[in-house]
Amino acid sequence: MQKLLYTVVHLLFWTTFTALSWLSISSNPGETAFMVNYPGAGLLLGCWALVNFYIFYFYVQPLFLDSRRFVMYLLISIGFSVLSSLVFVGAFWLLFESFRPYALQKFVEGIGGTFLISQCGSLLKGFVSWNKSLHEKTELENRSLKNELSMLKAQLSPHFLFNTLNNIDTLIYKSQDEASAMLIRLSELLRYMLYESETKEVPIANELEYLKQLIDLQKLRFEAHEFIELTITNRNPEFRIAPLLLLPFVENAFKFVSNPEQ
């Protein structure tokens, strides 16, 4: 996607440059006649623009602007504009005799044109570099968040599993039917934790249902579990959040209770 964006930007620039150049030439009957009589002049003009643009795009901008050597960059831009215009006008002087009376005028105009198009190359390179940097930063943040969530799940899941299995083991001696129901509920929770939570986001309704089942299992630790209440008002069940994001709040509520036997 990024490469496609950069390609489109380059195409838009050169399309605009070609259109503006043609409008400028068309407004001058002498230049229009010259281009009609010498089609190779247009090709040479295009090559000159490409060379100026991409020298700054690939080399000058990364070497000097990225390293904040602004004065050196300005001096090189001016010197390059003079030299490039001299080479361009010299080529036209040698190839097209009818161009020679206008050589000095075109040399001066060429300096400005070279400076402008080379700065366009630097500007576009700056945009590409900024966009790449922003994209890489976003990717890094997403990867870091994903790693944190993975570590969180890896830390919480064994702790929850071992406690619940111990509670169910105790419950077997009291009521086998209830212990069996709790095992089924535990398997549903584990399925959610191991598989459904692998996605980047889940509907908040799924997450809340998971927390309800979790709390039901945690009640096994408490004799006075009738004091444990959960009230949820979910006005937007399709709202999406990161899976297991709310789990630490529920686990900590049970973990730091003053007396788990009451």
Side-chain angles (χ1 to χ4, degrees), residues 18 49 79 91 119 140 154 191 248 256:
T18 302
Q119 300 315 301
L140 185 62
R191 185 182 299 111
F256 296 108

Side-chain angles (χ1 to χ4, degrees), residues 4-252:
L4 178 60
L5 172 64
Y6 302 148
T7 301
V8 170
V9 171
H10 279 263
L11 289 175
L12 285 175
F13 171 81
W14 288 114
T15 300
T16 304
F17 173 81
T18 302
L20 292 176
S21 298
W22 178 250
L23 286 175
S24 177
I25 292 172
S26 300
S27 64
N28 189 319
E31 291 186 1
T32 303
F34 178 81
M35 288 296 179
V36 171
N37 293 330
Y38 303 101
L43 181 61
L44 186 60
L45 177 63
C47 291
W48 166 78
L50 286 168
V51 169
N52 292 332
F53 182 91
Y54 285 108
I55 283 178
F56 273 73
Y57 182 90
F58 286 113
Y59 300 106
V60 179
Q61 196 274 354
L63 284 174
F64 296 97
L65 281 187
D66 285 353
S67 58
R68 299 182 179 277
R69 298 158 66 185
F70 301 117
V71 175
M72 183 62 69
Y73 172 82
L74 180 61
L75 294 176
I76 288 177
S77 297
I78 295 173
F80 181 84
S81 298
V82 174
L83 180 60
S84 177
S85 181
L86 182 62
V87 172
F88 172 73
V89 170
F92 267 66
W93 174 281
L94 294 174
L95 296 173
F96 311 108
E97 186 175 350
S98 59
F99 172 83
R100 294 175 183 177
Y102 310 98
L104 182 59
Q105 176 188 346
K106 294 303 178 183
F107 171 69
V108 176
E109 293 176 358
I111 294 175
T114 302
F115 186 84
L116 179 61
I117 198 169
S118 60
Q119 300 315 301
C120 288
S122 291
L123 183 63
L124 184 57
K125 181 63 175 180
F127 165 76
V128 170
S129 299
W130 170 80
N131 189 264
K132 282 184 177 180
S133 177
L134 184 63
H135 182 71
E136 290 173 356
K137 181 180 179 181
T138 303
E139 288 258 336
L140 185 62
E141 290 176 350
N142 290 338
R143 194 178 301 115
S144 176
L145 178 59
K146 185 176 180 180
N147 291 338
E148 289 177 4
L149 288 174
S150 297
M151 291 177 61
L152 181 63
K153 287 189 284 186
Q155 292 172 356
L156 291 173
S157 298
H159 174 76
F160 165 73
L161 177 62
F162 295 142
N163 281 346
T164 304
L165 288 175
N166 288 334
N167 293 333
I168 293 176
D169 179 62
T170 303
L171 184 63
I172 290 175
Y173 296 98
K174 298 180 180 178
S175 171
Q176 292 185 0
D177 292 339
E178 188 174 353
S180 177
M182 288 301 174
L183 278 174
I184 293 174
R185 182 163 294 178
L186 175 61
S187 68
E188 292 175 353
L189 287 175
L190 291 177
R191 185 182 299 111
Y192 178 85
M193 295 176 72
L194 295 175
Y195 299 108
E196 295 185 35
S197 64
E198 288 300 314
T199 58
K200 185 177 180 181
E201 294 179 340
V202 296
I204 194 171
N206 294 8
E207 186 77 2
L208 294 176
E209 181 62 28
Y210 161 76
L211 293 179
K212 289 178 183 178
Q213 295 180 357
L214 173 65
I215 291 173
D216 286 341
L217 287 174
Q218 290 281 17
K219 286 181 180 180
L220 296 175
R221 299 169 52 199
F222 296 84
E223 292 182 0
H225 54 74
E226 65 273 10
F227 293 104
I228 301 174
E229 295 183 3
L230 175 65
T231 303
I232 297 176
T233 302
N234 183 13
R235 299 178 180 177
N236 186 7
E238 296 303 319
F239 181 78
R240 303 183 72 85
I241 63 172
L244 305 181
L245 187 64
L246 304 178
L247 176 59
F249 299 102
V250 175
E251 284 218 327
N252 286 336

